[in-house]
Amino acid sequence: MNSLVRALYSGATRLATPLLKRKLARRAQSEPGYAQAVPERFGHYVDAARQAGTAESPLIWIHAVSLGETRAAAILLRELRDLLPGMRMLLTNGTATGRAEGAKLLREGDVQVWQPWDTPEAVNRFLSHFQPAIGVLMETEIWPNLVAGCKSHGVPLVLANARLNEKSWRGAQRWSWLARPAYKALSAVWAQTDDDARRLADLGAPVRAVLGNLKFDTVPDAAMLARGRAWRAESARPVVLFASSREGEEAAWLAAWLSLRATFEQQGQRVQWLLVPRHPQRFDEVAALCESAGLSVARRSQCPDGPPPADVWLGDSMGEMVQYYGMSHAALLGGSFEPLGGQNLIEALACDCPVVMGPHTFNFAQAAELAQEGGIALRVDGIHAGVQQAVDLVNDAPRLAALVSRCQSFTQAHRGAAAATAQAVLQQMSRRPKPESEA
């Protein structure tokens, strides 16, 4: 039955290949990164030479689909390099933002290519070309043919920092005839939380341990953080960041801000807004939205030495979130004011930036709950209340100082997942199974 199901799935992925190519071409119009090295997505490698691994310098494959997973991979990679200094990395990504961020992690001997499209042929070419010692999938990425191909080639495939929210779990249950064999064929799974572990185990995943969230082990770049602090000191008003805002949220924020601005001014509550949209293709759109409402906008890309006075500062750059958190006294959590699951709030807290979040944080449920219980993340029921809460907070110096003082102790108390996961990866690699053809 499993072979028939996967054969049908494989046929569907083959038929979808022309659609994928057209989708990539469309995405490349707004994000040119999607036009880069397209043949790699189908297992054809021109510039990516195979890096043969040895016992002293194994090739460890890490797959991080997008930006958030790539940042988590960076934390794990730091620990892996400490434990195995001679290792080389094969990094795969699925999005242009993930690939751009991942390029910063490469050292001599490392390789970066696109994730292979999930046809048996592309997967087989990928595994035959690179022959990794182990595959580490970050957080959520499970592809049936990729899992089956690794088993066939004798490549242990693990899911690290694993999470599975309620919505995704229900979806996987509906497709259990396809999802369950894929989860079951993984070599090991290390979950973020007990709830994630329970849902993953329900789908047949071999959950070995609950190790916590790698992102608690993030170490903000000191120079970037200091630059943000210096720019914040030049502002005449306290700064509130709308961090990683998503489509629809900026318009709702703007309506709330315009409706409340006169009241704040009457009360003597001042604020400097800093907007950082989640997706770079929307930078121009968000700038135009603000300007159409009569607000002046200063864009990071046009202000290399720091933002000049303006109603809104727009963070239209990639890889500078630490700097933006350093510039801010508090942050609204993007993705939490629409039913999108929220964004990673741990990085904000590691930068001593308290968070105001909306009702939708299911992608980071435990971290959001712990931060709320610790009094460093404030929960509101919508963007209007979020704007009100954030402006009140940054204009209440004693209350803000109390929240900031708790941030470092909170993140430090939850660290340790990165070291534990790195140890587990190396242990799993030492138990590499034989390829199915030799078993």
Side-chain angles (χ1 to χ4, degrees), residues 245-387:
S245 57
R246 304 281 292 275
E247 187 170 4
E249 290 186 317
E250 297 95 355
W253 161 80
L254 181 60
W257 168 239
L258 293 178
S259 70
L260 290 167
R261 182 168 58 171
T263 301
F264 289 139
E265 290 175 352
Q266 291 171 4
Q267 296 172 348
Q269 292 181 303
R270 303 176 303 156
V271 68
Q272 171 65 60
W273 285 103
L274 168 59
L275 303 188
V276 181
R278 176 71 175 85
H279 298 114
Q281 67 268 29
R282 300 188 57 249
F283 290 156
D284 291 343
E285 171 191 335
V286 174
L289 174 71
C290 295
E291 289 168 346
S292 69
L295 301 179
S296 57
V297 177
R299 299 179 64 147
R300 167 71 176 110
S301 61
Q302 299 170 4
C303 308
D305 299 321
D311 295 320
V312 175
W313 295 341
L314 180 65
D316 60 343
S317 65
M318 298 298 295
E320 293 190 317
M321 279 309 300
V322 168
Q323 181 171 292
Y324 294 135
Y325 284 126
M327 292 172 67
S328 307
H329 292 87
L332 295 176
L333 183 66
S336 70
F337 296 97
E338 295 289 334
L340 300 167
Q343 299 293 336
N344 172 27
L345 71 161
I346 298 170
E347 187 176 26
L349 304 179
C351 296
D352 294 333
C353 183
V355 169
V356 178
M357 56 191 181
H360 308 291
T361 54
F362 51 80
N363 282 335
F364 303 91
Q366 187 190 49
E369 182 179 341
L370 289 172
Q372 186 177 356
E373 291 174 355
I376 51 177
L378 309 176
R379 177 82 71 178
V380 295
D381 60 6
I383 191 65
H384 191 279
V387 169

Side-chain angles (χ1 to χ4, degrees), residues 12 18 49 70 100 105 193 233-234 254-255 275 287 315 317 417:
T70 304
L105 306 179
T193 71
E234 296 175 5
L254 181 60
L275 303 188
S317 65

Side-chain angles (χ1 to χ4, degrees), residues 190-242:
W190 303 299
Q192 291 187 22
T193 71
D194 290 334
D195 286 340
D196 292 316
R198 173 181 54 79
R199 288 188 282 262
L200 288 159
D202 180 73
L203 293 172
V207 179
R208 306 300 186 204
V210 177
L211 298 182
N213 192 332
L214 288 170
K215 292 171 184 175
F216 277 113
D217 290 284
T218 187
V219 178
D221 181 272
M224 197 175 287
L225 190 60
R227 188 184 308 120
R229 292 275 192 270
W231 288 359
R232 183 175 76 182
E234 296 175 5
S235 173
R237 295 171 285 176
V239 181
V240 177
L241 165 65
F242 198 166

Side-chain angles (χ1 to χ4, degrees), residues 5 199 404 411:
V5 166
R199 288 188 282 262
V404 169
T411 54

Side-chain angles (χ1 to χ4, degrees), residues 95-156:
T95 69
T97 53
R99 183 164 176 141
E101 185 73 10
K104 302 173 186 177
L105 306 179
L106 302 179
R107 295 183 181 178
E108 184 177 356
D110 293 342
V111 186
Q112 183 183 33
V113 295
W114 290 114
Q115 166 196 0
W117 179 233
D118 206 39
T119 61
E121 297 79 13
V123 167
N124 184 63
R125 285 191 289 266
F126 168 78
L127 293 170
S128 298
H129 186 86
F130 292 109
Q131 300 178 24
I134 191 169
V136 183
L137 308 177
M138 299 302 302
E139 299 196 2
T140 60
E141 281 286 291
I142 301 297
W143 292 88
N145 280 324
L146 193 63
V147 176
C150 286
K151 189 171 183 180
S152 176
H153 282 257
V155 177

